[in-house]
Amino acid sequence: MATDIKVPTLGESVTSATVARWMKQEGEAVAADEPLVELETDKVTVEINAPSAGVLTSISAPEGSEVPVGALLGVLDADAKSGAAPKPAAQPAGKPAGAPAAKPVAAPAAKPAPEPRPAANPQAGVNPPPRALGPVARPAPPPTDGVAHAPLPAAAKLIEEKHLSPAEIGDGTGKDGRITKGDVLEFLNRPAPAATPAPAARGPRTEEPREQRVRMTRLRRTIAARLKEAQNTAAMLTTFNEVDMSAVMALRSEYRDAFEKKHNGARLGFMSFFVKACVAALKEFPAVNAEIDGDDIVYKNFVHMGIAVGGAAGLVVPVIRDVDAMDFAEIERAIADFGRRARDGALKLDELTGGTFSITNGGVYGSLMSTPILNPPQSGILGMHKIQDRPMVVAGKIEARPMMYLALSYDHRIVDGSEAVSFLVRVKQGVEDPRRLLLGL
């Protein structure tokens, strides 16, 4: 049975892609889930895997061609055998006397032998560079020849049109460090430096022998640009409170083993309590879950919760969709899955977009207090911090209680100060008395 291989949906605002590389040729056998073709978009380079085992009988979109979402890339036949791709018919050695002459048929041109290709995963050195968290940007190994890696077809065409050179752009975000079309567009869209004269001429910087100069990765540049965009666009303000973790810690300690056994290994952590508390507060204060679009305020009747995950290559915020419809076990499983795949660099592009509110936990690194930065176009982000025993007055007596500082950064253009403070108080109440979350109070 023949199966069409088509261009999948590639994420928000991505309508087309360029065929960067075919990893299989016509007539070659393919195993199920084996990479077939590599597509390049303005945002990411993705691999398309075989839906089933079979033979690649035809390629409809050659390398370098521009293809829209849904376009046919090739055909995979599960019933064909390796080498069964159509080939030019051989000329017979002789014909019987008096046989009618065969109607001439134009034979297809001989297919040139494929050029040697670099391995999809070249052998890494003793200490390979860390992998990026997710597909948005993939740090590449440093080039061995001192220049940028070879551009992909669409990128090469754009470089030629704009009279650029790969060395000006630097290392790309494609596989093996190759330059993508998105890298070229990002380079072209960089703002020109301000024409203000420097107060004094600055000579060349003296390099110290104990310094090391390392080029920023594409992921790090993207993080820097987005954080600065949030500061320049939103009227960002942060309000603080503190929460007594005694009730949650006691509940977790009492039911942790039973929870894990009931839900097939899902571990009961603190994060699900904060997610549930935020969902309840967002329903009461919908402006914190809204966003500004021009002169309009867009209110969301759902909650797509972004959970910040950090790693060696930078920070990503995968999104748990419709988290308001999930129970504790589903939330814990989703968070654990995102954390694992973020470390492995296996997050998908559509899992990093569409959030309506975010939570970041600096406490895992020991942070006692911070002011989290908004993730545009969201209007709120909750910052969790380190749990620390502090003396608190309880019923007229001083007791040591496990306390955590909470921080809510919000966009003051859409969220009033009273709403922000009240939102954080609701989160505090939900965590300090988890029974409120069960009763919807």
Side-chain angles (χ1 to χ4, degrees):
M1 181 180 67
T3 302
D4 291 342
I5 309 299
K6 296 185 177 181
V7 180
T9 301
L10 298 168
E12 294 180 355
S13 75
V14 180
T15 59
S16 64
T18 300
V19 179
R21 181 164 67 103
W22 277 97
M23 287 167 274
K24 293 291 182 179
Q25 300 302 315
E26 289 184 359
E28 286 191 40
V30 182
D33 293 326
E34 187 176 3
L36 276 178
V37 59
E38 191 175 86
L39 300 181
E40 173 198 348
T41 74
D42 294 345
K43 295 184 177 181
V44 69
T45 300
V46 296
E47 291 180 351
I48 307 301
N49 296 336
S52 62
V55 174
L56 184 62
T57 56
S58 68
I59 292 177
S60 304
E63 294 182 1
S65 59
E66 194 85 10
V67 286
V69 171
L72 181 66
L73 294 170
V75 177
L76 184 69
D77 194 339
D79 299 326
K81 296 182 180 180
S82 180
K87 296 181 180 180
Q91 181 70 24
K95 296 182 182 180
K103 185 177 180 180
V105 179
K111 193 179 186 72
E115 297 179 0
R117 303 182 185 280
N121 294 301
Q123 183 178 0
V126 177
N127 294 307
R131 297 179 63 188
L133 300 181
V136 175
R138 203 179 286 180
T144 57
D145 54 1
V147 298
H149 285 225
L152 290 166
K157 181 179 178 181
L158 189 58
I159 288 174
E160 183 179 357
E161 291 175 354
K162 300 298 182 181
H163 306 291
L164 301 172
S165 68
E168 293 180 77
I169 300 171
D171 292 348
T173 60
K175 180 164 285 189
D176 304 330
R178 299 183 69 183
I179 298 173
T180 68
K181 183 179 178 182
D183 296 327
V184 183
L185 294 175
E186 189 269 341
F187 176 82
L188 293 172
N189 290 331
R190 290 178 192 171
T196 55
R202 181 178 178 180
R205 187 180 184 280
T206 304
E207 295 289 344
E208 292 288 342
R210 291 173 292 178
E211 291 180 342
Q212 181 183 10
R213 184 183 293 269
V214 179
R215 181 178 175 82
M216 292 174 67
T217 64
R218 174 68 181 276
L219 177 60
R220 178 52 56 189
R221 295 199 303 269
T222 301
I223 292 172
R226 286 186 63 81
L227 295 181
K228 191 59 182 173
E229 175 193 354
Q231 287 185 323
N232 293 341
T233 304
M236 194 160 54
L237 195 63
T238 305
T239 185
F240 299 92
N241 212 316
E242 59 182 352
V243 58
D244 186 343
M245 297 293 292
S246 299
V248 167
M249 293 177 72
L251 185 65
R252 179 172 177 261
S253 177
E254 182 176 356
Y255 293 105
R256 177 169 48 195
D257 294 338
F259 184 91
E260 187 171 348
K261 183 178 180 180
K262 170 72 174 179
H263 297 291
N264 301 320
R267 296 185 176 181
L268 182 61
F270 295 128
M271 186 65 76
S272 56
F273 289 94
F274 281 93
V275 170
K276 280 288 190 180
C278 285
V279 167
L282 289 170
K283 290 180 179 180
E284 188 173 352
F285 303 97
V288 186
N289 196 49
E291 69 177 67
I292 292 179
D293 184 15
D295 294 330
D296 300 327
I297 298 176
V298 182
Y299 290 96
K300 313 294 179 67
N301 298 319
F302 54 87
V303 180
H304 292 344
M305 187 74 71
I307 305 295
V309 180
L315 181 78
V316 291
V317 188
V319 177
I320 305 177
R321 302 188 184 279
D322 296 313
V323 73
D324 49 321
M326 292 183 174
D327 58 25
F328 280 83
E330 291 172 325
I331 293 171
E332 290 292 354
R333 279 194 290 264
I335 293 173
D337 176 62
F338 278 149
R340 181 177 61 257
R341 290 195 289 125
R343 289 189 296 271
D344 296 339
L347 290 172
K348 299 177 182 177
L349 181 63
D350 58 357
E351 294 174 327
L352 301 171
T353 57
T356 62
F357 184 82
S358 294
I359 299 178
T360 179
N361 185 6
V364 297
Y365 305 109
S367 173
L368 189 61
M369 183 179 290
S370 66
T371 56
I373 298 179
L374 291 174
N375 186 18
Q378 298 172 23
S379 298
I381 180 171
L382 179 74
M384 298 167 54
H385 299 92
K386 178 183 177 181
I387 300 174
Q388 188 177 57
D389 285 346
R390 292 201 297 274
M392 304 295 295
V393 178
V394 180
K397 297 180 181 180
I398 297 178
E399 297 181 8
R401 291 295 183 103
M403 304 298 295
M404 176 193 290
Y405 287 117
L406 297 179
L408 174 71
S409 291
Y410 60 98
D411 190 343
H412 212 343
R413 296 177 302 167
I414 183 174
V415 181
D416 291 333
S418 60
E419 289 179 298
V421 172
S422 300
F423 173 91
L424 200 55
V425 169
R426 291 295 183 273
V427 174
K428 167 187 170 70
Q429 291 173 342
V431 174
E432 290 186 338
D433 187 0
R435 295 172 298 179
R436 299 175 64 95
L437 303 178
L438 300 176
L439 297 176
L441 300 176

